Every structure is written in structure tokens, then in C-alpha cells.
Amino acid sequence: MRYWSLIFALAAVFSVGAFAYAPFSADWWLPNPAGEPYHSVSTFGREIDALFLIILVLTGAVFIGTQAALVWAQFRYADRIGEDGLPVRPAQYFHGSQRLEVIWTVIPAGILVFLALYQMDTWAKIKFRSASPRTPVLAEVTGRQFQWAMKYPGPDGRLGTPDDLFTVNDLHLVKDQTALIHLKSADVIHSFFLPQMRIKQDAVPGMAIPVWFDCDRAGRFELACAELCGWGHYKMRGDVVVHETEAEFQAWQAAKLAEQGRSQIAGADEPEGDDR
Amino acid sequence: MSAGPNATEPNPHDHIPAAASNFLTRYVFSTDHKVIGVQFLFSSLFFFAVGGLMAMVIRWQLAWPWKPVPILSQWLWSSPGLGGQMPPEFYNKLFTMHATIMIFFVIIPLLTGAFGNFLIPLMIGARDMAFPKLNMFSYWIMWPGFVLITLSFFVEGGAAEAGWTSYPPLATAARSTPGSLNGQTYWLLALLCAGISSLTGSINYITTIVMLRSPGMKMFRMPMTVWALFITALLQAFALPVLTSALLMQTLDRLAGTNFFTPVGGAVANAPAAVGGGAPLLWQHLFWFYSHPAVYIMILPGMGIASDVISTFSRKPLFGYKPMVIAMGAIAGLGFIVWGHHMFQSGMNPALGATFMLSTMMIALPSAIKVFNWIGTMWGGRIQYTSAMLNAMAFVSMFIIGGLSGIFMAATPVDIHIHDTYFIVGHIHYVLFGGSTFAVFAGIYYWFPKLFGRMMSERLGLIHFFLTFLFFNGTFFFMHIVGWHGHMRRIADPTVYEFLRTPGVVGMNQFMTICAFGLGASQLIFAWNFFYSLVAGPVAGPNPWKANSLEWATASPPPYYNFETLPRVYHPPYEFSVPGGEDDFLPQTTPLPDNITLDPVMA
Ligand SMILES: [Cu+2]
Ligand SMILES: [Cu+2]
């Protein structure tokens, strides 16, 4: 009978083991660039990861403690029937302990309040509009079934002018520069998700939401849609390209603009189409 | 409380009502709370199988995207031209309907409909519910819901596919996705029926518990299951009107051209722009104002069941009965001010998000208190490893995981990364399967003898538990890991993304799927045990588990009038192993020995 406690112990060991192994495998750990599985590429990512680790350690400790107590109680206090068919040991008769109730109310309450307050600063830095950077906007990103339409201000740095650059599913930014985007939706709700940069923000029709982030590694990353937006939701994927230097970004933009100019040669001064 | 000789004197206002006269009024359109409870039990278990099968197909697609599902693909969805591949919109229908069915047609009706109906009058010593006809209505109003949700698969465009959360404009714009053409309307109406059922049920439960307790059954002598169902009913009564209005508003948006949830000039899939003027986020506020409490509606009764089962099979008084009740009350109260934690990344004012984070962190506290009390109950007991007890202990063990993983999402910055990933899917399944479903199993194993007068097979019960527990963890645990790796929920094909087609992630997805099949197959043992015992199980006496609460004081199954004379109650139902007693249990109808006084704060 008492060996039933082992299956609970097994589940706990399995859980702890899986979590303990996770950091040692790039596929199991937080999404980071290949070759650098422990390097979170964005400033916010590093802060979020640190908070994540604190919670992981705290909850892990509570988990191990409670599961150990549970398994121990299951093992130690299993009923045993003696030769005479009677229980070997009677159950203790008590209804609780006021002191214990106070202890296990006050201590977790303190930890939880600490945890909540400890998050506030990072949260405010990432999301509060008052914290948004005073830099020119990198692009206006509009979610649309099932693509990410990007509008860059172009060389003049202003959106809504004829030199705007349009791309689809292709977000470019510069290493170590805070990228500020305006997030919109043209139809249903989407969610702008950069797993490697730990950024997520829903794109809501009728709203323009500022989102900012940076990246300290040049290279290619992925943009995902994280909010169900229809039958093609699963494939609403975009590329994120982080350029080593501003010059490289400008070169890319110039090349793209030239391409766009060639294809739109006739309609260069047409009024803006979509600017709800 | 004096227990004079006149305590057993019959109440002059109490009389045994006449029996239902024919088959139809006795077993079909019955007003007997026990029959209604059994009706809820059977229809929910049926839908449990349906929803479970959907989950199997979902898992198949995630492990082997676009590979034809054996047998099913030929006749369920695919045109031969697609070679048996599941269309992505069908995948979206599957997870939408899996969640909808499991939440609104399985867990809530099982816990409140089946257990609530069957147990409340028996456990408080009443002859029936306060409003038996309303009770009958609360079951039969489910049927239009059953019909509509089933029918929705066969209308043009097929069943709803906007997720169980049905966020507009995806859910309201008819052209946004095939399921929003017609299926969504059926979904809304079906939920409306389920909501009315819950609402009428909750009114009944509240009234019954307040008005019809038998002599001596003070509120603080009620079993935890009744307390849990009482608090759940209060949650439902206050939260459901909001969901009902939201459902009606979305129905009007879809059918009558209103714009509650459509922004100015909103247009989807090149449809003409709407006048708009509404707000998509309004729906989320209204929906979660109900659906967060709904999470507690789905877990509180499980907590009650686990408390009763654990105390009975530890042969020991519940540790901290009154703190446990207060903790449940705190969960219910706080449950109304945390809904915004579903909307941290929604575009809601982030300052509001910070407030919701604090309240959400605090709601973890009463849950933690309850866990400690359950372990305290087992501590020093004589634990009997019955199927019911094992499932109740699994409830505690798995609820710890589900509770702790919630903290990650309550922390707003961490939630930025894990929101809408498999982390939340893992979390909710540890709460709703690891928590609620194990509690349902515990409840069925525990009360089956009372429900049907026969015992279930313990041997099969233990095998079923063993397999379910292992496969459950195999199915859901890795969801946390793929989730923090960034695996989005509700995507038909993760391999579209580079970071999700790595061998580690694909391997975990396949492992989870194989375990899910094992989990599904294990339920066949339960089904066999259930139906076989129903007809051929050994006859159970009135009190096979030697438990204290009132339902064990009457025959199994109880007569339609429940009790010959209304029982008199002397103490809470957790007086096990009272020193000096001959038996290790003391029914609520037997006074405490003179030398025992109960701790007024704890018991
Ligand atoms: Cu999407
Ligand atoms: Cu919630």
C-alpha cells in the first residue's frame, strides 16, 4: 500500500528532472540564437529571463518541499493492518494548528507580494507608454490575415510620405538600436511575437500600440503571430533581420526602395491607401 | 448545542412527498435531484469521450503535421484531393470545440450538475432541492445546447473556430474564417443554454443550502463539498449574468448588425467596412469577468471533493476545517478582481495590468493554504489507498503544479514571453485535468456506491489510476517546456517556424502525443469498470467507506425521499478516530462523546 507513494514521488522527480535538464538543451530552453543558447539577445529579454529564473527557483523550491511532504505523509502514514486484522497504529486525532495556519499564510503572502512588486519595474519599462523611447519610429507594422505588412518611413524619416518603404513579413532593424514600431491590425486581432527578443503585443483593430525592443546580435530571427486570427494563423510568420550597422540597414532600404520604385513607377504620387 | 431527548422527534412540517407516478416522470422528466444528478453525469461523461477524442486528433496533427489520421481522415474532413490531410480550419474547429465541450459541457456540468445535484440535498439532510421543477429545467435546457453544438459541425462553414474565448472580430466578422460564417452563432446559442442551466442550478443550490439544512446542520457543520458547491454557486450567480450579456451582445453583433465589439470602420477579408464604434477589448473584459471565476467554478468543487475523500481515507479530521472554508471564500472573492491577467498583452492599459498582477499573485495564497491543509490532514492519519483516495491525492499533487505554474503567468513581464504559448496550455490542463478531472474520478469512485448501490472494482480502479496518472504527466508536463521555448498555442503546424522544428521540440511533441493516446486508452478501463459495476458490481451497504456525512446515513441508492426522518446533526463530518470511540468514525447523526470539545477556530 505505502508504495503507492512512489508513483507520486516518480511524478515529482520526473518534473524536477525535466526542468533541470531543460537548460542543458537549446531545444528545451528559452529560445535563443543557435550557438549561444544562454544569451538572450534583447535588453528586455535578459530582464525577463532573470525574473523567470527567480520564479523558477522559488516555485521549484516550493514544489520540491510540498511534494516531499506529500510523499512522506503518503509513505509514513499509510495504513497498516496487523496479524489480528486491526490497524497497527491509530490515526492521530487533531483538527489543525492555529500557529501553522498563520505561518503558512504569512510566509507565502510575503513571497507573493515581493514577487509582484519585483516585477513592476521591468513591466513598466517594457510596456508603459510613458517609457516609450523618443526615437523616430522604425516601422508601422500591420497584422492582416495572414501576413505582417511593414511600412518603413524611408529616407525622410516620416511615415505617410511617398518615399515610404513597404515590405511583407520582413522586419529589418539595426543591432543595438532601440527599434520602435507602431503596431496595428487591419482586420482581426493578431499578436506580434518575437520569441528570441521576448516581445509580445496583441495587434488590435482600431488601436495603434507602440512596441519597442532591441537586439545585440546581428542575424536572422523569427516573427510569429501568437493570437488566433483565422484558418491561416499557423503560417503567419515573418522574418526579422538584424543588421550589423546602420549603414547596412540603409543600404538594404535603398535597394528595396529602388525595387519598389521600379514596380510603382507610375503611381509614385498616389495618395496613401491604408491609414486608418 | 444540547442534544436532548426531543432531538429525534419528527419535525411536524416534515412529510414524505408522494412518489413519481410513472416511468417518464420518474426517470426522464424527473424532479428528483438524484435522477437529475445522474442525468448530468451520463451526458457529461458522453461529452467527455467526445471532447477527449478531439484532443487525440489535435495531438496527432501536432506530432505529425498534415499526416493523414488513420481511418478518421477519410470520412471526417478531407477531400481526396488533399490526400487525407487535415485542413487547418478543421484543426481550429477541433481545439475550439475540444475546449468548449470540456469546459461547458463536461467539467462544469459534472462538478456542479452531477455532484452538486446529487450531493447537496443528501449531504445537508434535505428531501430534495428547494425548486425541483427549476432543477429539472436546469438539466433539460442543456439539451438545446447539446443539439446546437453538435449541429454546428454540419452547417455551412462548419463549427466555430475562433477558440473557446471567441475574440471578436474573428468571431463576429462572418468572413473572417469558415467557422465564423454560421458555426459561431450556434456556439453562442449553445453556450447561452449551458449558461442558463448553470444559473438556474446555482439559484437552486444557494437556496437549498441556505433554507433546507436539516436540524442541527449549522453552516459550519456542512461538508467541504457542500461549502465548495455553495461558493461555486455564488460565483456562478454573480458572474454568469455578465457572460450571458456578452454572449447576447456578440449574437447581436453577428445577426442584428450592432457594433458592440467592432471598431470604427472595421473590415475583415475585404468585406465592406462596418460603421463600428465598439471595442474588441470590451468582449475580452466581459468574457474574462466570467471565465476567470469559471476557472474557480471548475476547481472549487474539486477542492471540496478532495477534502472529503482525503479526510475519510486518512481516518482523521480535516486539518483546519474553518481555515479551509475561509480560504475558499477568499478564492471566490479575489476571483472577481483578477480577470485582467488574461489581457496583459491585449493592449489593455499596462498600468491596469500591474494592478491585476498584484491581485493575481494574492489569489495564489488561499490555494497554497488549502494544499498545506490537505497535507496536514494526511499527516498522522491511517491512509487507505483506495481508488478514490489515490485520485484525490493526485488532485493535490497535480494542483500544486497547476498552481505554481500560474505564478509565471501572473508575473506580467514573464507573461510577455509565455502568454499564448503551450505554457498556458500546460497550466490549464494541470488545473482542469490534473485538478478537476482527478477530483471527478475521486468523486465517482467515492460516491458510486451511493449513486447506484453497487461497488466499483477497486482493482480496475487502481490500474486506471496508475495509467492515467503516468500518461497524464507524460502528456502535459512537456507543454511547459515547449511553451517557454516559445511554442505558440492554437497553431496547426509548429514546423512552419524554424525554432519549433528542432529535433528537441518535435521529439517532445511526439512524446506528448503518444502519452495522450495512452491517456485516452486508459479511460476505456474506467468506462468498463463504470458500466460493468453499474449492473454487476457487488452490492454496497449504506456506508461502505465508514464515512460520517449524512449521505451515508441513508440507503444506497437512497430512496426518492432521501431520509425516513430528517436526520439531526451534532458536529462537522470529519470526526474520525475520536479517542475512546469503538469505531474509527463518528457519523454526524451521533453526538460527540462528552469528553471531546471541538477547537472553535479550527473545527
Ligand atoms: Cu494569428
Ligand atoms: Cu484567470
Side-chain angles (χ1 to χ4, degrees), chain B residues 288 291-296 335 338-342 360 424 427-428:
Chain B
W288 289 116
S291 292
H292 184 81
V295 174
Y296 293 105
V338 297
W339 80 91
H341 62 209
H342 299 269
T360 304
I424 183 79
H427 164 73
I428 198 67

Side-chain angles (χ1 to χ4, degrees), chain A residues 12-13 15-17 19-20 56-72, chain B residues 375 400-401 404:
Chain A
V13 168
S15 308
V16 173
F19 274 19
L56 192 64
V57 168
L58 275 175
T59 54
V62 174
F63 175 76
I64 293 171
T66 46
Q67 295 287 347
L70 179 69
V71 169
W72 172 247
Chain B
I375 297 175
I400 294 174
I401 300 183
L404 290 175

Side-chain angles (χ1 to χ4, degrees), chain B residues 299-440:
Chain B
I299 199 73
L300 286 176
M303 292 174 164
I305 292 170
S307 305
D308 281 356
V309 171
I310 288 177
S311 173
T312 301
F313 293 115
S314 299
R315 314 309 294 166
K316 192 169 152 285
L318 192 66
F319 193 103
Y321 167 64
K322 281 179 183 162
M324 290 276 250
V325 173
I326 292 164
M328 276 202 298
I331 290 176
L334 287 169
F336 278 107
I337 52 165
V338 297
W339 80 91
H341 62 209
H342 299 269
M343 298 173 62
F344 287 153
Q345 320 309 334
S346 69
M348 177 181 76
N349 185 339
L352 211 49
T355 325
F356 278 117
M357 162 162 60
L358 194 59
S359 57
T360 304
M361 287 284 183
M362 290 328 291
I363 207 168
L365 182 60
S367 305
I369 293 172
K370 295 193 75 76
V371 167
F372 299 141
N373 278 293
W374 286 316
I375 297 175
T377 305
M378 291 162 56
W379 205 271
R382 280 199 301 119
I383 298 171
Q384 299 173 338
Y385 283 88
T386 57
S387 311
M389 181 60 169
L390 281 163
N391 279 286
M393 292 191 299
F395 168 91
V396 176
S397 172
M398 298 295 100
F399 179 71
I400 294 174
I401 300 183
L404 290 175
S405 61
I407 294 176
F408 290 80
M409 275 142 333
T412 46
V414 178
D415 181 71
I416 296 174
H417 179 56
I418 57 178
H419 181 78
D420 271 332
T421 66
Y422 261 83
F423 197 92
I424 183 79
V425 180
H427 164 73
I428 198 67
H429 283 92
Y430 266 87
V431 175
L432 287 192
F433 199 126
S436 312
T437 308
F438 276 115
V440 164

Side-chain angles (χ1 to χ4, degrees), chain A residues 144-148 188-191 224-230 232-237, chain B residues 170 489-491 497:
Chain A
R144 186 176 181 281
Q145 287 178 327
F146 299 98
Q147 56 176 214
W148 295 103
V188 301
I189 299 175
H190 305 272
S191 191
C225 177
E227 183 68 66
L228 176 65
C229 56
H233 165 57
Y234 71 98
K235 57 176 184 178
M236 196 164 151
R237 179 192 172 283
Chain B
L170 181 64
R489 68 196 285 212
R490 294 171 168 175
I491 51 172
Y497 292 90

